[in-house]
Amino acid sequence: MRQPLTARQREALDYITYCLDERGYPPTLREIGEHMGIRSTNGVNDHLKALERKGYLVREELKSRALRPVGHDDQKVSIPILGQVAAGQPILAQENISDRVTIDRFFVGKAPSKEVFGLVIRGDSMIEDGIYDGDYIFVRKQSTAENGEIAVVMIEGEATCKRVFHEGDRVRLQPANETMAPIYVHRSEFRAIDVIGKVVGVYRKLH
């Protein structure tokens, strides 16, 4: 049975785990010190050595960032799934999180998990791109999309998933369904249109 941790040792271990989960790599000694209010890296080292001695942390001495909590699986990430978003509400607001899914990092690539959120697809507008009703899409937060990229776009407070094409003084939001017409947003219309993020992965639950 492992020895119990002190409050400060627990704080250090929790911060290392948080950094791994949120950005995909552990913090430096300096970052741990700043987080915990410890000016000396020697002071941070004392906590890390105690965590190692008690069996909570594995560290490779020659690598400044090689800190790994025992049992931590950095190939898994937790992604927030956003529920229905009312018009005018920010799509990324904390209160809109309806669920979380833990997935292999493969599905979202190298993007830090805090930059990725999930949405549930409703409808058949993207079926020819392999995105079906009820699928989760994983979206990396960014405010631009290159021509042809699949993105989540807000139009007048409504979120939609489409391929984005910039065509002179208009934007074409193209569905991947030959039975559906594209959405055109002309600059002269002054309609509020914002790219929320780029789709980086699709996840389907098998029932």
Short mmCIF file of all heavy atoms in Angstrom, two decimals, residues 5 7-38 44 48 51 57 65 67-69 72 114:
data_model
loop_
_atom_site.label_atom_id
_atom_site.label_comp_id
_atom_site.label_asym_id
_atom_site.label_seq_id
_atom_site.Cartn_x
_atom_site.Cartn_y
_atom_site.Cartn_z
N LEU A 5 -0.26 11.03 0.54
CA LEU A 5 0.41 12.25 0.12
C LEU A 5 0.06 13.41 1.05
O LEU A 5 -1.04 13.48 1.59
CB LEU A 5 -0.01 12.62 -1.31
CG LEU A 5 0.36 11.63 -2.41
CD1 LEU A 5 -0.17 12.14 -3.75
CD2 LEU A 5 1.86 11.42 -2.49
N ALA A 7 -0.72 17.52 1.37
CA ALA A 7 -1.53 18.40 0.52
C ALA A 7 -0.70 19.00 -0.60
O ALA A 7 -1.16 19.12 -1.75
CB ALA A 7 -2.17 19.50 1.37
N ARG A 8 0.54 19.38 -0.31
CA ARG A 8 1.40 19.99 -1.32
C ARG A 8 1.85 18.96 -2.36
O ARG A 8 1.95 19.27 -3.55
CB ARG A 8 2.63 20.64 -0.66
CG ARG A 8 2.27 21.82 0.20
CD ARG A 8 1.81 23.01 -0.62
NE ARG A 8 2.94 23.83 -1.06
CZ ARG A 8 2.83 24.82 -1.93
NH1 ARG A 8 1.68 25.09 -2.51
NH2 ARG A 8 3.89 25.54 -2.26
N GLN A 9 2.11 17.74 -1.94
CA GLN A 9 2.46 16.69 -2.88
C GLN A 9 1.29 16.38 -3.80
O GLN A 9 1.46 16.20 -5.01
CB GLN A 9 2.92 15.44 -2.13
CG GLN A 9 4.25 15.59 -1.43
CD GLN A 9 4.50 14.52 -0.38
OE1 GLN A 9 3.70 13.61 -0.20
NE2 GLN A 9 5.63 14.63 0.32
N ARG A 10 0.09 16.35 -3.24
CA ARG A 10 -1.11 16.13 -4.05
C ARG A 10 -1.31 17.27 -5.04
O ARG A 10 -1.69 17.04 -6.20
CB ARG A 10 -2.32 15.99 -3.12
CG ARG A 10 -3.69 16.01 -3.83
CD ARG A 10 -3.82 14.91 -4.86
NE ARG A 10 -3.74 13.58 -4.27
CZ ARG A 10 -3.74 12.47 -5.01
NH1 ARG A 10 -3.75 12.53 -6.34
NH2 ARG A 10 -3.68 11.29 -4.40
N GLU A 11 -1.03 18.48 -4.62
CA GLU A 11 -1.17 19.64 -5.51
C GLU A 11 -0.22 19.52 -6.70
O GLU A 11 -0.60 19.78 -7.85
CB GLU A 11 -0.88 20.92 -4.73
CG GLU A 11 -1.06 22.20 -5.55
CD GLU A 11 -0.77 23.46 -4.76
OE1 GLU A 11 -0.44 23.36 -3.56
OE2 GLU A 11 -0.85 24.56 -5.36
N ALA A 12 1.02 19.12 -6.43
CA ALA A 12 2.00 18.95 -7.52
C ALA A 12 1.57 17.84 -8.47
O ALA A 12 1.62 18.01 -9.71
CB ALA A 12 3.39 18.65 -6.93
N LEU A 13 1.14 16.71 -7.93
CA LEU A 13 0.72 15.59 -8.77
C LEU A 13 -0.50 15.95 -9.61
O LEU A 13 -0.56 15.64 -10.81
CB LEU A 13 0.41 14.38 -7.88
CG LEU A 13 0.08 13.07 -8.63
CD1 LEU A 13 1.29 12.58 -9.41
CD2 LEU A 13 -0.39 12.01 -7.64
N ASP A 14 -1.47 16.64 -9.00
CA ASP A 14 -2.67 17.04 -9.74
C ASP A 14 -2.33 18.00 -10.87
O ASP A 14 -2.93 17.94 -11.95
CB ASP A 14 -3.68 17.70 -8.79
CG ASP A 14 -4.37 16.69 -7.88
OD1 ASP A 14 -4.22 15.48 -8.12
OD2 ASP A 14 -5.04 17.12 -6.93
N TYR A 15 -1.35 18.91 -10.63
CA TYR A 15 -0.99 19.87 -11.67
C TYR A 15 -0.30 19.16 -12.84
O TYR A 15 -0.56 19.48 -14.01
CB TYR A 15 -0.08 20.95 -11.10
CG TYR A 15 0.31 22.00 -12.11
CD1 TYR A 15 -0.66 22.81 -12.72
CD2 TYR A 15 1.64 22.19 -12.48
CE1 TYR A 15 -0.30 23.76 -13.66
CE2 TYR A 15 2.00 23.14 -13.42
CZ TYR A 15 1.02 23.92 -14.01
OH TYR A 15 1.37 24.86 -14.95
N ILE A 16 0.56 18.21 -12.55
CA ILE A 16 1.21 17.44 -13.62
C ILE A 16 0.17 16.70 -14.45
O ILE A 16 0.20 16.70 -15.68
CB ILE A 16 2.24 16.46 -13.02
CG1 ILE A 16 3.39 17.23 -12.36
CG2 ILE A 16 2.79 15.52 -14.10
CD1 ILE A 16 4.29 16.38 -11.48
N THR A 17 -0.78 16.06 -13.78
CA THR A 17 -1.84 15.33 -14.47
C THR A 17 -2.69 16.27 -15.32
O THR A 17 -3.03 15.96 -16.47
CB THR A 17 -2.74 14.60 -13.45
OG1 THR A 17 -1.93 13.71 -12.67
CG2 THR A 17 -3.83 13.81 -14.15
N TYR A 18 -3.01 17.44 -14.75
CA TYR A 18 -3.80 18.44 -15.48
C TYR A 18 -3.09 18.86 -16.78
O TYR A 18 -3.70 18.91 -17.85
CB TYR A 18 -4.03 19.66 -14.59
CG TYR A 18 -4.60 20.85 -15.32
CD1 TYR A 18 -5.97 20.95 -15.57
CD2 TYR A 18 -3.77 21.88 -15.76
CE1 TYR A 18 -6.49 22.05 -16.25
CE2 TYR A 18 -4.28 22.98 -16.43
CZ TYR A 18 -5.64 23.06 -16.67
OH TYR A 18 -6.15 24.15 -17.34
N CYS A 19 -1.79 19.15 -16.69
CA CYS A 19 -1.05 19.58 -17.88
C CYS A 19 -1.01 18.49 -18.94
O CYS A 19 -1.16 18.76 -20.14
CB CYS A 19 0.38 19.99 -17.50
SG CYS A 19 0.46 21.55 -16.58
N LEU A 20 -0.82 17.25 -18.52
CA LEU A 20 -0.82 16.14 -19.46
C LEU A 20 -2.16 16.00 -20.16
O LEU A 20 -2.24 15.80 -21.38
CB LEU A 20 -0.47 14.83 -18.74
CG LEU A 20 1.01 14.60 -18.43
CD1 LEU A 20 1.17 13.47 -17.43
CD2 LEU A 20 1.78 14.29 -19.71
N ASP A 21 -3.25 16.14 -19.40
CA ASP A 21 -4.59 15.97 -19.97
C ASP A 21 -4.96 17.13 -20.88
O ASP A 21 -5.60 16.94 -21.92
CB ASP A 21 -5.62 15.84 -18.85
CG ASP A 21 -5.54 14.51 -18.13
OD1 ASP A 21 -4.94 13.57 -18.69
OD2 ASP A 21 -6.06 14.41 -17.00
N GLU A 22 -4.57 18.35 -20.48
CA GLU A 22 -5.02 19.53 -21.21
C GLU A 22 -4.18 19.85 -22.44
O GLU A 22 -4.71 20.30 -23.45
CB GLU A 22 -5.03 20.74 -20.27
CG GLU A 22 -6.14 20.71 -19.24
CD GLU A 22 -7.52 20.75 -19.88
OE1 GLU A 22 -7.77 21.65 -20.70
OE2 GLU A 22 -8.35 19.88 -19.57
N ARG A 23 -2.86 19.62 -22.35
CA ARG A 23 -2.03 20.04 -23.48
C ARG A 23 -1.17 18.92 -24.06
O ARG A 23 -0.50 19.12 -25.06
CB ARG A 23 -1.15 21.23 -23.08
CG ARG A 23 -0.14 20.93 -21.98
CD ARG A 23 0.50 22.21 -21.46
NE ARG A 23 1.64 21.91 -20.61
CZ ARG A 23 2.31 22.84 -19.92
NH1 ARG A 23 1.94 24.10 -20.00
NH2 ARG A 23 3.34 22.50 -19.18
N GLY A 24 -1.17 17.76 -23.41
CA GLY A 24 -0.50 16.61 -23.98
C GLY A 24 0.93 16.41 -23.54
O GLY A 24 1.57 15.43 -23.94
N TYR A 25 1.49 17.30 -22.72
CA TYR A 25 2.84 17.12 -22.21
C TYR A 25 2.92 17.72 -20.80
O TYR A 25 2.16 18.62 -20.45
CB TYR A 25 3.89 17.75 -23.12
CG TYR A 25 3.66 19.21 -23.46
CD1 TYR A 25 4.16 20.22 -22.63
CD2 TYR A 25 2.94 19.58 -24.59
CE1 TYR A 25 3.95 21.55 -22.93
CE2 TYR A 25 2.73 20.91 -24.89
CZ TYR A 25 3.23 21.90 -24.06
OH TYR A 25 3.01 23.22 -24.35
N PRO A 26 3.85 17.22 -19.98
CA PRO A 26 3.93 17.66 -18.58
C PRO A 26 4.58 19.04 -18.44
O PRO A 26 5.24 19.52 -19.36
CB PRO A 26 4.77 16.57 -17.91
CG PRO A 26 5.62 16.04 -19.00
CD PRO A 26 4.80 16.12 -20.26
N PRO A 27 4.43 19.65 -17.29
CA PRO A 27 5.04 20.97 -17.06
C PRO A 27 6.52 20.87 -16.74
O PRO A 27 7.03 19.80 -16.36
CB PRO A 27 4.26 21.49 -15.83
CG PRO A 27 3.93 20.24 -15.07
CD PRO A 27 3.64 19.19 -16.12
N THR A 28 7.24 21.98 -16.89
CA THR A 28 8.62 22.06 -16.45
C THR A 28 8.65 22.29 -14.93
O THR A 28 7.63 22.62 -14.32
CB THR A 28 9.36 23.21 -17.14
OG1 THR A 28 8.72 24.44 -16.76
CG2 THR A 28 9.32 23.07 -18.65
N LEU A 29 9.84 22.13 -14.34
CA LEU A 29 9.99 22.41 -12.92
C LEU A 29 9.61 23.86 -12.61
O LEU A 29 8.96 24.15 -11.60
CB LEU A 29 11.43 22.15 -12.47
CG LEU A 29 11.96 20.72 -12.61
CD1 LEU A 29 13.37 20.63 -12.01
CD2 LEU A 29 11.04 19.73 -11.94
N ARG A 30 9.99 24.77 -13.50
CA ARG A 30 9.68 26.19 -13.28
C ARG A 30 8.16 26.43 -13.29
O ARG A 30 7.64 27.19 -12.48
CB ARG A 30 10.36 27.04 -14.36
CG ARG A 30 10.23 28.56 -14.12
CD ARG A 30 10.98 29.33 -15.20
NE ARG A 30 12.39 28.97 -15.22
CZ ARG A 30 13.30 29.48 -14.41
NH1 ARG A 30 12.95 30.36 -13.49
NH2 ARG A 30 14.56 29.13 -14.52
N GLU A 31 7.48 25.77 -14.22
CA GLU A 31 6.02 25.93 -14.28
C GLU A 31 5.34 25.39 -13.03
O GLU A 31 4.39 25.98 -12.52
CB GLU A 31 5.47 25.23 -15.53
CG GLU A 31 5.80 25.96 -16.82
CD GLU A 31 5.43 25.15 -18.05
OE1 GLU A 31 5.43 23.90 -18.00
OE2 GLU A 31 5.13 25.77 -19.09
N ILE A 32 5.84 24.25 -12.55
CA ILE A 32 5.28 23.70 -11.31
C ILE A 32 5.51 24.67 -10.16
O ILE A 32 4.62 24.93 -9.33
CB ILE A 32 5.90 22.32 -10.98
CG1 ILE A 32 5.56 21.31 -12.08
CG2 ILE A 32 5.40 21.81 -9.63
CD1 ILE A 32 6.31 19.99 -11.95
N GLY A 33 6.73 25.24 -10.11
CA GLY A 33 7.04 26.20 -9.06
C GLY A 33 6.15 27.42 -9.12
O GLY A 33 5.64 27.90 -8.08
N GLU A 34 5.90 27.95 -10.33
CA GLU A 34 5.02 29.12 -10.48
C GLU A 34 3.61 28.79 -10.04
O GLU A 34 2.94 29.59 -9.39
CB GLU A 34 5.05 29.60 -11.92
CG GLU A 34 6.36 30.25 -12.34
CD GLU A 34 6.39 30.60 -13.81
OE1 GLU A 34 5.41 30.27 -14.53
OE2 GLU A 34 7.39 31.21 -14.25
N HIS A 35 3.14 27.60 -10.40
CA HIS A 35 1.79 27.19 -10.02
C HIS A 35 1.64 27.06 -8.51
O HIS A 35 0.60 27.43 -7.95
CB HIS A 35 1.45 25.85 -10.68
CG HIS A 35 0.13 25.29 -10.28
ND1 HIS A 35 -1.06 25.77 -10.77
CD2 HIS A 35 -0.19 24.28 -9.40
CE1 HIS A 35 -2.06 25.09 -10.22
NE2 HIS A 35 -1.55 24.18 -9.39
N MET A 36 2.68 26.56 -7.86
CA MET A 36 2.60 26.29 -6.43
C MET A 36 3.17 27.41 -5.56
O MET A 36 3.13 27.33 -4.33
CB MET A 36 3.33 24.98 -6.11
CG MET A 36 2.73 23.76 -6.79
SD MET A 36 3.60 22.22 -6.40
CE MET A 36 3.29 22.08 -4.64
N GLY A 37 3.71 28.45 -6.21
CA GLY A 37 4.28 29.55 -5.44
C GLY A 37 5.62 29.18 -4.81
O GLY A 37 5.96 29.68 -3.73
N ILE A 38 6.39 28.32 -5.48
CA ILE A 38 7.71 27.92 -4.99
C ILE A 38 8.77 28.55 -5.88
O ILE A 38 8.79 28.33 -7.09
CB ILE A 38 7.87 26.38 -5.02
CG1 ILE A 38 6.79 25.71 -4.16
CG2 ILE A 38 9.26 25.98 -4.52
CD1 ILE A 38 6.77 24.19 -4.28
N VAL A 44 10.81 22.44 -5.67
CA VAL A 44 9.94 21.62 -6.52
C VAL A 44 10.47 20.19 -6.57
O VAL A 44 9.72 19.22 -6.43
CB VAL A 44 9.85 22.20 -7.94
CG1 VAL A 44 9.05 21.26 -8.85
CG2 VAL A 44 9.20 23.57 -7.92
N LEU A 48 8.81 16.36 -5.98
CA LEU A 48 8.82 15.32 -7.01
C LEU A 48 9.52 14.06 -6.52
O LEU A 48 9.07 12.94 -6.80
CB LEU A 48 9.48 15.85 -8.29
CG LEU A 48 8.80 17.06 -8.95
CD1 LEU A 48 9.52 17.42 -10.24
CD2 LEU A 48 7.33 16.83 -9.20
N LEU A 51 7.18 12.22 -4.37
CA LEU A 51 6.16 11.53 -5.17
C LEU A 51 6.73 10.25 -5.78
O LEU A 51 6.05 9.22 -5.85
CB LEU A 51 5.63 12.45 -6.27
CG LEU A 51 4.74 13.60 -5.81
CD1 LEU A 51 4.50 14.59 -6.95
CD2 LEU A 51 3.40 13.07 -5.30
N LEU A 57 4.84 8.77 -8.97
CA LEU A 57 5.40 9.49 -10.12
C LEU A 57 6.61 8.73 -10.66
O LEU A 57 7.42 8.20 -9.89
CB LEU A 57 5.82 10.90 -9.70
CG LEU A 57 6.28 11.85 -10.81
CD1 LEU A 57 5.09 12.27 -11.67
CD2 LEU A 57 6.93 13.10 -10.19
N ARG A 65 10.95 17.42 -19.06
CA ARG A 65 9.50 17.29 -19.08
C ARG A 65 9.04 15.84 -18.91
O ARG A 65 7.87 15.54 -19.10
CB ARG A 65 8.92 17.84 -20.39
CG ARG A 65 9.01 19.36 -20.50
CD ARG A 65 8.30 19.83 -21.76
NE ARG A 65 8.41 21.26 -21.93
CZ ARG A 65 7.54 22.14 -21.44
NH1 ARG A 65 6.53 21.74 -20.71
NH2 ARG A 65 7.68 23.44 -21.67
N LEU A 67 7.85 13.71 -16.84
CA LEU A 67 7.14 13.43 -15.60
C LEU A 67 5.87 12.67 -15.95
O LEU A 67 5.10 13.10 -16.80
CB LEU A 67 6.78 14.73 -14.88
CG LEU A 67 7.93 15.69 -14.56
CD1 LEU A 67 7.39 17.01 -14.03
CD2 LEU A 67 8.86 15.06 -13.54
N ARG A 68 5.65 11.56 -15.28
CA ARG A 68 4.49 10.74 -15.63
C ARG A 68 3.86 10.17 -14.35
O ARG A 68 4.48 9.35 -13.67
CB ARG A 68 4.92 9.58 -16.53
CG ARG A 68 3.78 8.82 -17.15
CD ARG A 68 3.24 9.55 -18.35
NE ARG A 68 4.28 9.94 -19.29
CZ ARG A 68 4.08 10.81 -20.28
NH1 ARG A 68 2.92 11.38 -20.45
NH2 ARG A 68 5.06 11.13 -21.10
N PRO A 69 2.66 10.59 -13.99
CA PRO A 69 1.98 9.96 -12.85
C PRO A 69 1.79 8.47 -13.11
O PRO A 69 1.45 8.06 -14.23
CB PRO A 69 0.64 10.70 -12.79
CG PRO A 69 0.90 12.01 -13.45
CD PRO A 69 1.88 11.71 -14.55
N HIS A 72 -1.12 6.86 -15.33
CA HIS A 72 -1.72 7.85 -16.23
C HIS A 72 -1.59 7.41 -17.67
O HIS A 72 -0.51 7.01 -18.12
CB HIS A 72 -1.05 9.21 -16.06
CG HIS A 72 -1.66 10.29 -16.91
ND1 HIS A 72 -1.25 10.55 -18.19
CD2 HIS A 72 -2.68 11.15 -16.66
CE1 HIS A 72 -1.97 11.54 -18.69
NE2 HIS A 72 -2.84 11.92 -17.79
N LYS A 114 -7.80 20.95 -24.45
CA LYS A 114 -8.57 22.14 -24.07
C LYS A 114 -8.96 22.97 -25.30
O LYS A 114 -9.81 23.85 -25.20
CB LYS A 114 -7.80 23.00 -23.08
CG LYS A 114 -6.55 23.67 -23.63
CD LYS A 114 -5.87 24.52 -22.57
CE LYS A 114 -4.63 25.20 -23.12
NZ LYS A 114 -3.96 26.04 -22.10
#
